């Protein structure tokens, strides 16, 4: 039986990232070319400062590359890509449920649908009764 390979296909060609210019210029990525097949599980390993976070931030759309191209083929997925940060990315002034629903709100998901999805996510991780608590 054929195994369905779920996930996005990613093609990165000739990616370059320079931070600032002139004497302070840092070349964080230089000519990165990489293809990732749907369902393939990839780890990017290297010493601190070699550009791992820069590559992931560009992939997530949080930083723009200096040159080169990225294609993400994610047909049928609700979100093309997402990034889970090393540190918790919570807003300390928002309740648990507001934090969970923030991404849906920024994408303009209708309130009823967002509430149902927040409910399901809280239930999944056992946080329903802490919904009105704050991250601390
Ligand atoms: N915002 C920035 N401005 C200037 N230099 C940066 C910035 N972010 C990262 N760098 C530099 O780019 C290089 C790659 O950093 P980074 O992608 O964070 O590496 P890694 O995640 O592999 O530790 C490092 O030399 C780092 O100091
Ligand atoms: Mg890093």
């Amino acid at each position: 039986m054929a195994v369905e390979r779920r996930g996005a296909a990613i093609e990165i060609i000739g990616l370059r990232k320079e931070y600032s210019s002139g004497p302070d210029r840092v070349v964080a990525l230089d000519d990165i070319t990489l293809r990732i097949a749907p369902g393939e599980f990839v780890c990017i390993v290297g010493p601190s400062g070699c550009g791992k976070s820069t590559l992931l931030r560009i992939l997530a759309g949080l930083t723009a590359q200096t040159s080169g191209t990225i294609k993400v083929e994610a047909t049928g997925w609700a979100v093309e890509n997402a990034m889970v940060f090393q540190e918790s990315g919570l807003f300390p002034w928002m309740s648990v449920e507001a934090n969970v629903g923030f991404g849906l709100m920024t994408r303009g998901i209708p309130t009823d649908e967002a509430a149902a999805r927040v409910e399901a996510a809280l239930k999944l991780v056992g946080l329903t009764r802490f919904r009105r608590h704050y991250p601390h």
Side-chain angles (χ1 to χ4, degrees), residues 8 15 17 25 43 46 50-51 59 66 70 76 79 99 102-103 124 133:
L15 202 69
K17 175 65 180 177
R25 186 180 71 144
C43 294
C50 77
L59 262 174
T66 305
I70 293 183
V79 179
N99 268 285
F102 183 79
L124 181 72
H133 286 232

Side-chain angles (χ1 to χ4, degrees), residues 48-49 51-54 86:
S48 181
K52 306 177 295 291
S53 293
T54 298
Q86 278 170 299

